Amino acid sequence: MSPRLLSRAEAAAAIADRIARVWPEWVCSELTGSAHQPIEIALRPGVDRNAKIERVGREYWTDWGIEWEGIDLDGLPGVSCENREVCDERVRVSRPYRLRIETLDAGLATVSRLGGTAGVDVARFRRVAARLCAAGVGLTPALLKRACGLAETDLESAVRAVAWLSEHPDLGGWTLRQLPVPGVHTKWLANHLGLMRELTGRDLAAETRPRLSVVHLTYVDPRYLAGGDRRHDAWTSGDRHDLAYRPRVVVIVENRDARLWFPEHPETVVVEGSGKAAAQLVGEIPWLIQAERVIYWGDMDSDGFAILNHLRAELGPRGVSIDSLLMDEMSRVRYAHLGVNHDRHGVPLRPSSARLPHLRAAEAECYASVATRGDVAFRRIEQERIGADDVAAALTALLSGDLDVS
């Protein structure tokens, strides 16, 4: 150990650092009355004999002793400064050796007395701990630390939810979004399931009834549409009803406008399914997974290709082969004039480093072009901006085998 002398400022910083690490355990021990290890700070580690004094410098040693003689820690409950003798040029002298801190208040007071700043809001930590305990939470240091990191609005919602859940052991009559927790936003619980599991030990998603999935679809078969019947429909998971006709081709699109105004095509149904949740959603639809051809058409951007990749990863093992429409490098070049570099809020689109192993060669080339970290002309072509005639021609070519989908 290299000999070292801690100044009052260094000692204050060392205590503050320890408080920042141990406060969750100490606050919990205050509530439960359990014991905890005190904070001990060595003030002159390794300086225990004349030779070590010579190494740190005799003038520095003298000044350090004077500095600590001027520090009065008397009257601070829970604080003690241990002195030990050391041989200084054949004379045994007593000098500060170690600070011992027994409580959080003692640590905060010592840091202040030494001229430092603790940098932690212990008063707030105690208030949070008290509120959680009052709500019936089995508090642990890790849980307290996480709760104290919440914004005040989130903490308020958590406490309200814990209290309400303690009075409602059976949640089977509600979906997660239906839970009538007073003062808690309808989506808050769904976005904080992990936190609620830690606070209550309950899996709210498993305890509540499932929220039924709804797929919106559009009929585009020209013979059917000629009869003047409804063009748009919906299918709900678990429900039993027949479509207007059994589709031979199903096109899954990312955007609502693309579904609503999809061009006519025989024996085809167009399904709106954006995001990675689309895989689970469409996997529940018998007439979809049993169709002769299933096709995905999304934006030419990193998100669109990620959805395509996820669909194949989830549905491929079930024997569902998925082609893509207008999501290849040739299409990217053809519609480059429609490319954009910013989202709807004007924020620049970012590159993506995600590996998408289920893309085919032409798709992967297009993905690399829009997602690369290098310079690009654009990072997105939105599907709804491609004309209906071009979409119809591309779909016909794909189904006839004239379009290379390798």
Side-chain angles (χ1 to χ4, degrees):
M1 177 189 299
S2 298
R4 184 179 173 215
L5 302 174
L6 265 68
S7 67
R8 62 190 299 170
E10 290 172 325
I15 297 170
D17 179 68
R18 292 288 295 278
I19 290 175
R21 285 185 279 157
V22 304
W23 69 259
E25 177 187 349
W26 282 26
V27 170
C28 286
S29 69
E30 289 174 358
L31 291 169
T32 61
S34 59
H36 57 258
Q37 288 294 111
I39 293 175
E40 293 186 344
I41 304 295
L43 299 178
R44 50 180 175 91
V47 183
D48 54 4
R49 55 184 181 272
N50 191 67
K52 298 299 182 65
I53 294 174
E54 294 292 346
R55 287 188 60 182
V56 297
R58 183 157 299 282
E59 184 178 355
Y60 181 31
W61 165 256
T62 301
D63 292 342
W64 177 83
I66 294 172
E67 178 186 25
W68 277 98
E69 284 179 3
I71 298 172
D72 181 15
L73 297 178
D74 293 339
L76 295 182
V79 182
S80 60
C81 182
E82 177 186 356
N83 290 334
R84 285 191 184 182
E85 289 187 343
V86 61
C87 185
D88 182 1
E89 293 186 321
R90 298 184 180 182
V91 178
R92 299 200 68 80
V93 295
S94 180
R95 291 288 183 269
Y97 178 73
R98 177 168 53 200
L99 283 178
R100 183 181 177 92
I101 312 295
E102 302 284 353
T103 66
L104 274 174
D105 288 335
L108 296 173
T110 303
V111 171
S112 178
R113 184 69 59 87
L114 294 175
T117 303
V120 292
D121 190 352
V122 172
R124 177 176 181 270
F125 301 158
R126 286 172 171 153
R127 290 196 301 270
V128 171
R131 292 187 67 189
L132 293 175
C133 285
V137 175
L139 208 56
T140 66
L143 184 53
L144 175 59
K145 185 175 182 180
R146 180 173 182 187
C148 287
L150 296 173
E152 285 297 327
T153 53
D154 287 333
L155 179 63
E156 179 68 25
S157 293
V159 171
R160 288 174 178 268
V162 169
W164 186 87
L165 288 167
S166 68
E167 300 175 357
H168 295 82
D170 184 4
L171 307 180
W174 294 290
T175 68
L176 194 58
R177 292 281 296 276
Q178 289 177 321
L179 293 178
V181 184
V184 178
H185 191 279
T186 180
K187 295 181 181 179
W188 189 91
L189 284 172
N191 293 332
H192 294 83
L193 290 177
L195 174 64
M196 297 311 301
R197 185 181 295 109
E198 292 184 51
L199 292 173
T200 65
R202 298 171 64 176
D203 184 347
L204 303 187
E207 291 186 37
T208 51
R209 65 186 179 187
R211 192 182 189 198
L212 300 180
S213 301
V214 179
V215 166
H216 296 279
L217 58 97
T218 296
Y219 300 115
V220 295
D221 180 86
R223 291 181 60 186
Y224 165 77
L225 294 176
D229 291 322
R230 64 182 301 168
R231 177 178 172 85
H232 308 292
D233 206 343
W235 183 91
T236 304
S237 60
D239 204 358
R240 288 182 172 273
H241 72 274
D242 295 325
L243 298 190
Y245 54 85
R246 191 81 172 184
R248 184 178 67 86
V249 178
V250 174
V251 180
I252 305 169
V253 300
E254 185 178 344
N255 180 276
R256 179 171 300 177
D257 286 2
R259 171 180 66 83
L260 292 174
W261 308 110
F262 198 89
E264 295 182 3
H265 195 277
E267 301 177 272
T268 299
V269 164
V270 182
V271 171
E272 184 180 333
S274 62
K276 289 189 176 181
Q280 179 180 355
L281 193 63
V282 301
E284 300 176 4
I285 306 176
W287 50 261
L288 189 151
I289 60 177
Q290 294 168 8
E292 291 183 22
R293 300 290 294 271
V294 179
I295 299 163
Y296 179 74
W297 175 36
D299 292 342
M300 280 184 269
D301 65 0
S302 57
D303 289 340
F305 284 108
I307 296 170
L308 173 60
N309 184 79
H310 189 68
L311 280 168
R312 285 183 177 146
E314 294 295 316
L315 300 183
R318 301 181 59 179
V320 181
S321 177
I322 299 177
D323 295 316
S324 68
L325 181 69
L326 294 170
M327 296 183 71
D328 52 57
E329 180 64 7
M330 185 178 296
S331 297
R332 186 192 70 85
V333 173
R334 179 177 180 182
Y335 299 105
H337 61 286
L338 300 177
V340 296
N341 263 319
H342 297 79
D343 67 13
R344 59 180 179 171
H345 303 293
V347 177
L349 297 170
R350 300 175 63 85
S352 173
S353 58
R355 296 184 178 276
L356 306 180
H358 299 285
L359 298 186
R360 296 167 184 168
E363 299 160 351
E365 186 179 3
C366 182
Y367 170 64
S369 297
V370 297
T372 177
R373 293 189 178 276
D375 293 332
V376 293
F378 55 86
R379 295 198 179 276
R380 173 176 295 162
I381 296 177
E382 296 161 302
Q383 63 174 163
E384 63 270 30
R385 302 183 68 190
I386 298 177
D389 290 344
D390 287 1
V391 175
L395 180 59
T396 299
L398 175 63
L399 295 175
S400 66
D402 294 339
L403 190 64
D404 181 13
V405 295
S406 62

